[in-house]
């Protein structure tokens, strides 16, 4: 959906509203007031707290607009995305929804489900606020379809230093590749702890992406998504073997847990390591654990100097029921105040570049530095590298394999088919 100009975009949006919202529009909700229904998967725990921090800023900036929370529980949108699709296809969109920058966003763009909001970038003065690389991911054919709220890093290991010490491992001696790490994980197993905590299939896909990144390197990993790395190569087979070994060192109850359950095992000291995006930082903060004391973090071995990237962003659906509410929400999401309040709690870093890093935790300062200096690669599990359909096929193949329903050769073949058809 290309628009000739910002003015045309606004006009088209208002026409769409008049035609499809039954004339309710802003101010015409059942309670007669202005509102915005915000759809995310930040439904509980620290994710809900971070959302609430953003809502706090929204309510200060737009006291006349009611925030309606349409969050659907399930890490990484594991349940939310299907429900969202049902609503969009039924012509019942929320006023705005969370979507990852990159291929996931392109799904909604291609389906004609979200609007070009580049006019809001001009109106809110956002064109220079975000890094160019991020704007590129949000842009299609010159149009921009969402406003980012944050940037998360996916290739992080969180570890309990006491469990490492009890296992005869010096927490300062960080493993530098997957082989080194596997030998440490085996020591943890010997000591009677769970070596690597993990949860539902999407977290297993995230582990897989970081192992592919570690073993293939940034270029090889990126090539998996653009066709330049062969999925049937022996290098991929070796990486999948590492994945298999790592999965063999995880907790048996994994499929019944979501990410907070796996992080909790590090907090409680029943497991040594967990690979999780830096939303996990929020869980350590909430448990009052200090970096370097209660927990340590380091890039997944073999991925130092690489930032496995994802960004949440907010959209304006076609036929948005409350355009004024949606616009107000998007303004808060993009604002300096909104980004600082939200990210302080969320564990991610602001997408805006005009923030003062000193306002953020030591870990977040390290992420800000890494994002600025390291090689950036797109996250598989979080919508940056592949479309929702491809990710669904990958998740099905991984979960079949980890549940014992297929062998490594089948996994490799199914992953190749999922990506290349
Ligand atoms: C990601 C999302 C993060 C975090 C995580 C776990 O997809 O981008 O903000 O919510 O899922 O639920």
């Amino acid at each position: 959906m290309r628009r000739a100009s910002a003015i045309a975009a606004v006009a088209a949006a208002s026409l769409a509203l008049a035609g499809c919202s039954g004339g309710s529009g802003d101010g015409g909700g059942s309670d007669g007031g202005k509102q915005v229904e915000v759809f995310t998967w930040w439904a509980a725990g620290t994710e809900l707290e971070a959302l609430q921090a953003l809502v706090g800023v929204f309510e200060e900036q737009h006291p006349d607009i009611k925030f309606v929370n349409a969050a659907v529980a399930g890490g990484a949108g594991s349940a939310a995305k299907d429900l969202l699709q049902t609503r969009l296809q039924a012509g019942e969109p929320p006023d705005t929804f969370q979507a990852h920058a990159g291929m996931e966003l392109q799904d909604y763009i291609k389906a004609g489900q979200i609007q070009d909001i580049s006019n809001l970038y001009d109106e809110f003065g956002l064109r220079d606020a975000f890094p160019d690389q991020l704007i590129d991911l949000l842009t299609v054919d010159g149009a921009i379809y969402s406003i980012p709220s944050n940037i998360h890093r996916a290739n992080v290991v969180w570890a309990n230093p006491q469990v490492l010490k009890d296992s005869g491992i010096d927490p300062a001696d960080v493993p530098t590749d997957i082989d080194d790490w596997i030998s440490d994980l085996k020591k943890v197993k010997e000591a009677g702890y769970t070596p690597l905590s993990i949860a539902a299939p999407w977290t297993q896909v995230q582990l897989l992406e970081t192992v592919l990144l570690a073993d293939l390197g940034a270029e090889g990993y990126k090539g998996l998504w653009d066709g330049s790395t062969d999925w049937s190569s022996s290098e991929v087979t070796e990486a999948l073997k590492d994945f298999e070994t790592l999965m063999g060192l995880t907790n048996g109850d994994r499929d019944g847990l979501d990410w907070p359950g796996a992080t909790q095992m590090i907090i409680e000291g029943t497991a040594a390591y967990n690979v999780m995006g830096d939303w996990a930082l929020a869980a350590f903060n909430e448990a009052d654990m200090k970096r370097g004391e209660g927990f340590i973090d380091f890039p997944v071995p073999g991925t130092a100097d690489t930032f496995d990237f994802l960004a949440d962003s907010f959209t304006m659906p076609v036929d948005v029921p409350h355009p004024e509410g949606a616009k107000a929400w998007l303004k808060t999401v993009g604002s300096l105040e909104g980004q600082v309040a939200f990210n302080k709690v969320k564990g991610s870093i602001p997408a805006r570049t005009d923030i003062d890093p000193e306002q953020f935790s030591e870990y977040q300062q390290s992420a800000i530095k890494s994002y600025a200096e390291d090689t950036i690669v797109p996250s598989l599990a979080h919508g940056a590298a592949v479309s929702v359909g491809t990710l669904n096929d990958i998740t099905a193949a991984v979960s079949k394999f980890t549940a014992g329903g297929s062998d490594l050769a089948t996994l490799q073949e199914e992953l190749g088919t999922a990506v290349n058809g």
Side-chain angles (χ1 to χ4, degrees):
M1 261 218 316
R2 289 170 81 168
R3 301 265 190 262
S5 69
I7 294 170
V10 173
S14 334
L15 278 176
L17 172 76
C20 302
S21 68
S24 70
D26 287 285
S30 53
D31 62 355
K34 294 179 184 181
Q35 60 173 277
V36 58
E37 187 197 18
V38 179
F39 187 101
T40 68
W41 52 87
W42 298 328
T46 53
E47 295 185 331
L48 175 59
E49 280 164 30
L51 177 62
Q52 281 164 342
L54 185 56
V55 173
V57 176
F58 176 74
E59 286 172 346
E60 266 169 36
Q61 293 180 344
H62 307 279
D64 57 329
I65 302 177
K66 186 174 157 212
F67 168 82
V68 179
N69 190 356
V72 175
S78 43
K81 285 184 202 164
D82 283 350
L83 186 68
L84 175 64
Q85 211 37 255
T86 308
R87 286 189 60 173
L88 294 176
Q89 282 172 15
E92 289 165 9
D95 294 309
T96 180
F97 62 85
Q98 172 188 4
H100 289 121
M103 292 305 287
E104 181 182 312
L105 193 68
Q106 291 214 18
D107 282 346
Y108 302 112
I109 298 170
K110 283 191 195 133
Q113 292 167 330
I114 53 178
Q115 300 186 35
D116 173 10
I117 53 168
S118 40
N119 58 320
L120 298 184
Y121 274 68
D122 297 322
E123 191 178 331
F124 303 160
L126 295 178
R127 292 215 181 256
D128 297 325
F130 303 120
D132 292 345
Q133 172 266 356
L134 180 53
I135 298 260
D136 284 352
L137 273 170
L138 300 166
T139 305
V140 170
D141 291 338
I144 311 180
Y145 290 87
S146 65
I147 296 184
S149 53
N150 60 319
I151 292 168
H152 270 302
R153 187 178 195 182
N155 59 321
V156 188
V157 177
W158 308 89
N160 184 309
Q162 190 56 50
V163 175
L164 299 186
K165 283 182 211 152
D166 291 352
S167 310
I169 298 164
D170 175 0
D173 189 12
V174 172
T176 54
D177 61 24
I178 298 283
D179 283 348
D180 270 4
W181 191 30
I182 288 173
S183 73
D184 283 353
L185 284 154
K186 287 183 175 160
K187 288 184 201 162
V188 176
K189 189 176 179 189
E190 290 273 292
Y193 294 98
T194 297
L196 180 60
S197 68
I198 201 157
W202 71 264
T203 69
Q204 301 166 24
V205 173
Q206 189 178 324
L207 175 66
L208 172 65
E209 85 183 55
T210 64
V211 175
L212 289 166
L213 178 59
D215 286 356
L216 303 176
E219 285 315 305
Y221 171 83
K222 283 198 265 183
L224 292 168
W225 320 122
D226 68 14
S228 56
T229 299
D230 181 1
W231 271 98
S232 60
S233 66
S234 57
E235 287 81 3
V236 172
T237 310
E238 290 309 309
L240 295 181
K241 281 186 188 159
D242 279 343
F243 174 65
E244 182 174 36
T245 306
L246 291 171
M247 284 302 300
L249 294 160
T250 60
N251 44 306
D253 62 350
R254 59 197 179 215
D255 286 338
L257 302 177
D258 206 337
W259 74 264
T263 310
Q264 192 60 26
M265 294 174 73
I266 307 301
I267 292 172
E268 284 169 6
T270 55
Y273 303 100
N274 172 232
V275 172
M276 191 46 58
D278 44 18
W279 45 91
L281 178 69
F284 292 107
N285 287 342
E286 182 155 272
D288 261 339
M289 294 180 87
K290 286 207 169 26
R291 188 178 193 229
E293 293 172 21
F295 74 96
I296 59 168
D297 59 84
F298 51 89
V300 170
T303 74
D305 305 328
T306 308
F307 191 106
D308 184 11
F309 153 96
L310 61 124
D312 297 299
S313 68
F314 283 86
T315 59
M316 171 92 80
V318 167
D319 297 337
V320 54
H322 303 94
E324 191 187 336
K327 184 175 163 185
W329 176 257
L330 292 172
K331 188 168 187 184
T332 297
V333 165
S335 71
L336 187 65
E337 214 187 341
Q339 299 233 329
V340 169
F342 174 69
N343 285 288
K344 273 189 172 174
V345 185
K346 189 69 163 63
S348 39
I349 59 175
R352 291 186 73 110
T353 51
D354 56 354
I355 48 108
D356 173 9
E358 297 287 321
Q359 285 180 284
F360 290 87
S361 70
E362 193 185 290
Y363 166 80
Q364 286 165 305
Q365 290 183 32
S366 78
I368 290 169
K369 190 164 181 286
S370 168
Y371 184 67
E373 293 173 3
D374 293 344
T375 304
I376 297 172
V377 299
S379 168
L380 163 64
H382 304 284
V386 300
S387 67
V388 173
T390 300
L391 178 56
N392 285 344
D393 291 349
I394 288 177
T395 308
V398 168
S399 115
K400 184 162 111 186
F401 173 73
T402 59
S406 64
D407 60 12
L408 205 99
T410 308
L411 172 65
Q412 184 162 5
E413 201 186 310
E414 289 184 353
L415 291 174
T417 307
V419 177
N420 298 321

PDB file of all heavy atoms in Angstrom, residues 41-42 47 75-76 98 100 150 152 202 259 279 310 312 346 382, ligand 1:
ATOM      1  N   TRP A  41       1.745  -9.488  23.736  1.00  0.00           N
ATOM      2  CA  TRP A  41       1.798 -10.706  24.547  1.00  0.00           C
ATOM      3  C   TRP A  41       2.489 -10.440  25.880  1.00  0.00           C
ATOM      4  O   TRP A  41       3.021 -11.332  26.507  1.00  0.00           O
ATOM      5  CB  TRP A  41       2.433 -11.872  23.804  1.00  0.00           C
ATOM      6  CG  TRP A  41       3.775 -11.639  23.173  1.00  0.00           C
ATOM      7  CD1 TRP A  41       4.988 -11.780  23.776  1.00  0.00           C
ATOM      8  CD2 TRP A  41       4.031 -11.292  21.815  1.00  0.00           C
ATOM      9  NE1 TRP A  41       5.989 -11.527  22.879  1.00  0.00           N
ATOM     10  CE2 TRP A  41       5.428 -11.231  21.653  1.00  0.00           C
ATOM     11  CE3 TRP A  41       3.227 -11.028  20.707  1.00  0.00           C
ATOM     12  CZ2 TRP A  41       6.034 -10.907  20.442  1.00  0.00           C
ATOM     13  CZ3 TRP A  41       3.839 -10.709  19.507  1.00  0.00           C
ATOM     14  CH2 TRP A  41       5.212 -10.650  19.382  1.00  0.00           C
ATOM     15  N   TRP A  42       2.477  -9.197  26.290  1.00  0.00           N
ATOM     16  CA  TRP A  42       3.065  -8.835  27.578  1.00  0.00           C
ATOM     17  C   TRP A  42       1.963  -8.881  28.639  1.00  0.00           C
ATOM     18  O   TRP A  42       1.513  -7.857  29.143  1.00  0.00           O
ATOM     19  CB  TRP A  42       3.700  -7.450  27.472  1.00  0.00           C
ATOM     20  CG  TRP A  42       4.826  -7.415  26.463  1.00  0.00           C
ATOM     21  CD1 TRP A  42       5.676  -8.442  26.145  1.00  0.00           C
ATOM     22  CD2 TRP A  42       5.215  -6.316  25.636  1.00  0.00           C
ATOM     23  NE1 TRP A  42       6.581  -8.031  25.183  1.00  0.00           N
ATOM     24  CE2 TRP A  42       6.317  -6.736  24.855  1.00  0.00           C
ATOM     25  CE3 TRP A  42       4.746  -4.989  25.496  1.00  0.00           C
ATOM     26  CZ2 TRP A  42       6.960  -5.884  23.937  1.00  0.00           C
ATOM     27  CZ3 TRP A  42       5.388  -4.158  24.591  1.00  0.00           C
ATOM     28  CH2 TRP A  42       6.474  -4.610  23.824  1.00  0.00           C
ATOM     29  N   GLU A  47       6.952  -8.658  32.077  1.00  0.00           N
ATOM     30  CA  GLU A  47       6.538  -8.076  30.783  1.00  0.00           C
ATOM     31  C   GLU A  47       5.330  -7.158  30.970  1.00  0.00           C
ATOM     32  O   GLU A  47       5.261  -6.081  30.374  1.00  0.00           O
ATOM     33  CB  GLU A  47       6.233  -9.187  29.778  1.00  0.00           C
ATOM     34  CG  GLU A  47       7.480  -9.982  29.449  1.00  0.00           C
ATOM     35  CD  GLU A  47       7.284 -11.032  28.366  1.00  0.00           C
ATOM     36  OE1 GLU A  47       6.169 -11.559  28.214  1.00  0.00           O
ATOM     37  OE2 GLU A  47       8.260 -11.336  27.688  1.00  0.00           O
ATOM     38  N   GLY A  75       4.781 -16.542  25.935  1.00  0.00           N
ATOM     39  CA  GLY A  75       6.040 -15.929  25.534  1.00  0.00           C
ATOM     40  C   GLY A  75       6.217 -15.919  24.032  1.00  0.00           C
ATOM     41  O   GLY A  75       5.765 -16.837  23.333  1.00  0.00           O
ATOM     42  N   ALA A  76       6.872 -14.859  23.538  1.00  0.00           N
ATOM     43  CA  ALA A  76       7.180 -14.710  22.117  1.00  0.00           C
ATOM     44  C   ALA A  76       5.929 -14.686  21.242  1.00  0.00           C
ATOM     45  O   ALA A  76       6.005 -14.925  20.039  1.00  0.00           O
ATOM     46  CB  ALA A  76       8.146 -15.806  21.650  1.00  0.00           C
ATOM     47  N   GLN A  98       1.493  -5.306  18.676  1.00  0.00           N
ATOM     48  CA  GLN A  98       2.935  -5.537  18.729  1.00  0.00           C
ATOM     49  C   GLN A  98       3.341  -6.419  17.548  1.00  0.00           C
ATOM     50  O   GLN A  98       2.706  -7.437  17.278  1.00  0.00           O
ATOM     51  CB  GLN A  98       3.213  -6.265  20.054  1.00  0.00           C
ATOM     52  CG  GLN A  98       4.604  -6.784  20.270  1.00  0.00           C
ATOM     53  CD  GLN A  98       4.688  -7.666  21.535  1.00  0.00           C
ATOM     54  OE1 GLN A  98       3.656  -7.918  22.193  1.00  0.00           O
ATOM     55  NE2 GLN A  98       5.872  -8.115  21.866  1.00  0.00           N
ATOM     56  N   HIS A 100       7.172  -7.721  15.384  1.00  0.00           N
ATOM     57  CA  HIS A 100       8.634  -7.593  15.315  1.00  0.00           C
ATOM     58  C   HIS A 100       9.076  -6.921  14.021  1.00  0.00           C
ATOM     59  O   HIS A 100       8.555  -7.233  12.945  1.00  0.00           O
ATOM     60  CB  HIS A 100       9.284  -8.978  15.383  1.00  0.00           C
ATOM     61  CG  HIS A 100       9.195  -9.621  16.728  1.00  0.00           C
ATOM     62  ND1 HIS A 100       8.581 -10.832  16.941  1.00  0.00           N
ATOM     63  CD2 HIS A 100       9.663  -9.224  17.928  1.00  0.00           C
ATOM     64  CE1 HIS A 100       8.682 -11.156  18.227  1.00  0.00           C
ATOM     65  NE2 HIS A 100       9.322 -10.192  18.845  1.00  0.00           N
ATOM     66  N   ASN A 150      11.644  -0.795  21.351  1.00  0.00           N
ATOM     67  CA  ASN A 150      12.821  -1.324  22.054  1.00  0.00           C
ATOM     68  C   ASN A 150      13.647  -2.215  21.137  1.00  0.00           C
ATOM     69  O   ASN A 150      13.186  -2.606  20.065  1.00  0.00           O
ATOM     70  CB  ASN A 150      12.348  -2.155  23.263  1.00  0.00           C
ATOM     71  CG  ASN A 150      11.471  -3.330  22.858  1.00  0.00           C
ATOM     72  OD1 ASN A 150      10.627  -3.203  21.974  1.00  0.00           O
ATOM     73  ND2 ASN A 150      11.661  -4.464  23.463  1.00  0.00           N
ATOM     74  N   HIS A 152      15.910  -5.823  21.644  1.00  0.00           N
ATOM     75  CA  HIS A 152      16.357  -6.906  22.525  1.00  0.00           C
ATOM     76  C   HIS A 152      17.518  -7.656  21.889  1.00  0.00           C
ATOM     77  O   HIS A 152      17.601  -7.785  20.666  1.00  0.00           O
ATOM     78  CB  HIS A 152      15.227  -7.923  22.731  1.00  0.00           C
ATOM     79  CG  HIS A 152      14.329  -7.636  23.898  1.00  0.00           C
ATOM     80  ND1 HIS A 152      14.782  -7.518  25.195  1.00  0.00           N
ATOM     81  CD2 HIS A 152      12.976  -7.485  23.957  1.00  0.00           C
ATOM     82  CE1 HIS A 152      13.745  -7.299  26.005  1.00  0.00           C
ATOM     83  NE2 HIS A 152      12.646  -7.260  25.288  1.00  0.00           N
ATOM     84  N   TRP A 202       9.365 -22.514  21.587  1.00  0.00           N
ATOM     85  CA  TRP A 202       9.960 -21.288  21.006  1.00  0.00           C
ATOM     86  C   TRP A 202      11.316 -20.985  21.638  1.00  0.00           C
ATOM     87  O   TRP A 202      12.198 -20.433  20.964  1.00  0.00           O
ATOM     88  CB  TRP A 202       9.002 -20.091  21.090  1.00  0.00           C
ATOM     89  CG  TRP A 202       8.767 -19.510  22.463  1.00  0.00           C
ATOM     90  CD1 TRP A 202       7.734 -19.790  23.304  1.00  0.00           C
ATOM     91  CD2 TRP A 202       9.571 -18.519  23.142  1.00  0.00           C
ATOM     92  NE1 TRP A 202       7.847 -19.064  24.471  1.00  0.00           N
ATOM     93  CE2 TRP A 202       8.957 -18.270  24.386  1.00  0.00           C
ATOM     94  CE3 TRP A 202      10.739 -17.830  22.820  1.00  0.00           C
ATOM     95  CZ2 TRP A 202       9.482 -17.366  25.316  1.00  0.00           C
ATOM     96  CZ3 TRP A 202      11.265 -16.924  23.738  1.00  0.00           C
ATOM     97  CH2 TRP A 202      10.638 -16.696  24.978  1.00  0.00           C
ATOM     98  N   TRP A 259       9.187 -19.000  29.389  1.00  0.00           N
ATOM     99  CA  TRP A 259      10.543 -18.542  29.707  1.00  0.00           C
ATOM    100  C   TRP A 259      10.765 -18.186  31.178  1.00  0.00           C
ATOM    101  O   TRP A 259      11.857 -18.482  31.710  1.00  0.00           O
ATOM    102  CB  TRP A 259      10.991 -17.399  28.775  1.00  0.00           C
ATOM    103  CG  TRP A 259      10.357 -16.051  29.031  1.00  0.00           C
ATOM    104  CD1 TRP A 259       9.278 -15.528  28.404  1.00  0.00           C
ATOM    105  CD2 TRP A 259      10.783 -15.066  29.994  1.00  0.00           C
ATOM    106  NE1 TRP A 259       8.994 -14.280  28.911  1.00  0.00           N
ATOM    107  CE2 TRP A 259       9.898 -13.966  29.886  1.00  0.00           C
ATOM    108  CE3 TRP A 259      11.801 -15.001  30.938  1.00  0.00           C
ATOM    109  CZ2 TRP A 259      10.018 -12.821  30.672  1.00  0.00           C
ATOM    110  CZ3 TRP A 259      11.925 -13.867  31.733  1.00  0.00           C
ATOM    111  CH2 TRP A 259      11.029 -12.787  31.592  1.00  0.00           C
ATOM    112  N   TRP A 279      15.069  -9.898  27.975  1.00  0.00           N
ATOM    113  CA  TRP A 279      13.907  -9.726  28.848  1.00  0.00           C
ATOM    114  C   TRP A 279      14.150 -10.486  30.159  1.00  0.00           C
ATOM    115  O   TRP A 279      13.550 -10.167  31.181  1.00  0.00           O
ATOM    116  CB  TRP A 279      12.604 -10.165  28.183  1.00  0.00           C
ATOM    117  CG  TRP A 279      12.663 -11.475  27.442  1.00  0.00           C
ATOM    118  CD1 TRP A 279      12.383 -12.697  27.947  1.00  0.00           C
ATOM    119  CD2 TRP A 279      13.028 -11.678  26.064  1.00  0.00           C
ATOM    120  NE1 TRP A 279      12.560 -13.655  26.981  1.00  0.00           N
ATOM    121  CE2 TRP A 279      12.950 -13.064  25.812  1.00  0.00           C
ATOM    122  CE3 TRP A 279      13.410 -10.833  25.034  1.00  0.00           C
ATOM    123  CZ2 TRP A 279      13.246 -13.620  24.566  1.00  0.00           C
ATOM    124  CZ3 TRP A 279      13.695 -11.387  23.796  1.00  0.00           C
ATOM    125  CH2 TRP A 279      13.616 -12.755  23.571  1.00  0.00           C
ATOM    126  N   LEU A 310      16.431  -8.295  17.825  1.00  0.00           N
ATOM    127  CA  LEU A 310      14.992  -8.218  17.540  1.00  0.00           C
ATOM    128  C   LEU A 310      14.454  -6.921  18.114  1.00  0.00           C
ATOM    129  O   LEU A 310      15.025  -6.375  19.058  1.00  0.00           O
ATOM    130  CB  LEU A 310      14.238  -9.401  18.148  1.00  0.00           C
ATOM    131  CG  LEU A 310      14.307  -9.553  19.657  1.00  0.00           C
ATOM    132  CD1 LEU A 310      12.900  -9.579  20.247  1.00  0.00           C
ATOM    133  CD2 LEU A 310      15.029 -10.838  20.006  1.00  0.00           C
ATOM    134  N   ASP A 312      10.662  -4.993  19.102  1.00  0.00           N
ATOM    135  CA  ASP A 312       9.199  -4.905  19.138  1.00  0.00           C
ATOM    136  C   ASP A 312       8.799  -3.563  18.556  1.00  0.00           C
ATOM    137  O   ASP A 312       9.494  -2.556  18.758  1.00  0.00           O
ATOM    138  CB  ASP A 312       8.707  -5.001  20.588  1.00  0.00           C
ATOM    139  CG  ASP A 312       9.045  -6.346  21.206  1.00  0.00           C
ATOM    140  OD1 ASP A 312       8.576  -7.369  20.693  1.00  0.00           O
ATOM    141  OD2 ASP A 312       9.796  -6.378  22.205  1.00  0.00           O
ATOM    142  N   LYS A 346      11.895  -3.366  31.096  1.00  0.00           N
ATOM    143  CA  LYS A 346      11.832  -4.519  30.185  1.00  0.00           C
ATOM    144  C   LYS A 346      13.150  -5.273  30.063  1.00  0.00           C
ATOM    145  O   LYS A 346      13.169  -6.469  29.758  1.00  0.00           O
ATOM    146  CB  LYS A 346      11.369  -4.019  28.808  1.00  0.00           C
ATOM    147  CG  LYS A 346      11.036  -5.109  27.796  1.00  0.00           C
ATOM    148  CD  LYS A 346       9.781  -5.860  28.203  1.00  0.00           C
ATOM    149  CE  LYS A 346       9.160  -6.649  27.073  1.00  0.00           C
ATOM    150  NZ  LYS A 346       9.990  -7.714  26.543  1.00  0.00           N
ATOM    151  N   HIS A 382      12.260 -14.597  16.865  1.00  0.00           N
ATOM    152  CA  HIS A 382      11.522 -13.373  17.171  1.00  0.00           C
ATOM    153  C   HIS A 382      11.340 -12.476  15.949  1.00  0.00           C
ATOM    154  O   HIS A 382      11.596 -11.267  15.982  1.00  0.00           O
ATOM    155  CB  HIS A 382      12.185 -12.643  18.331  1.00  0.00           C
ATOM    156  CG  HIS A 382      12.297 -13.516  19.539  1.00  0.00           C
ATOM    157  ND1 HIS A 382      11.224 -13.813  20.363  1.00  0.00           N
ATOM    158  CD2 HIS A 382      13.338 -14.252  20.008  1.00  0.00           C
ATOM    159  CE1 HIS A 382      11.616 -14.664  21.303  1.00  0.00           C
ATOM    160  NE2 HIS A 382      12.892 -14.943  21.111  1.00  0.00           N
TER     161      HIS A 382
HETATM  162  C1  LIG B   1       9.722 -11.632  22.225  1.00  0.00           C
HETATM  163  C2  LIG B   1       9.436 -10.177  22.435  1.00  0.00           C
HETATM  164  C3  LIG B   1       9.998  -9.731  23.732  1.00  0.00           C
HETATM  165  C4  LIG B   1       9.574 -10.653  24.853  1.00  0.00           C
HETATM  166  C5  LIG B   1       9.759 -12.120  24.482  1.00  0.00           C
HETATM  167  C6  LIG B   1       9.257 -13.123  25.490  1.00  0.00           C
HETATM  168  O1  LIG B   1       9.172 -12.078  21.017  1.00  0.00           O
HETATM  169  O2  LIG B   1      10.005  -9.442  21.382  1.00  0.00           O
HETATM  170  O3  LIG B   1       9.622  -8.408  23.986  1.00  0.00           O
HETATM  171  O4  LIG B   1       8.286 -10.362  25.178  1.00  0.00           O
HETATM  172  O5  LIG B   1       9.172 -12.382  23.261  1.00  0.00           O
HETATM  173  O6  LIG B   1       7.886 -13.104  25.604  1.00  0.00           O
END
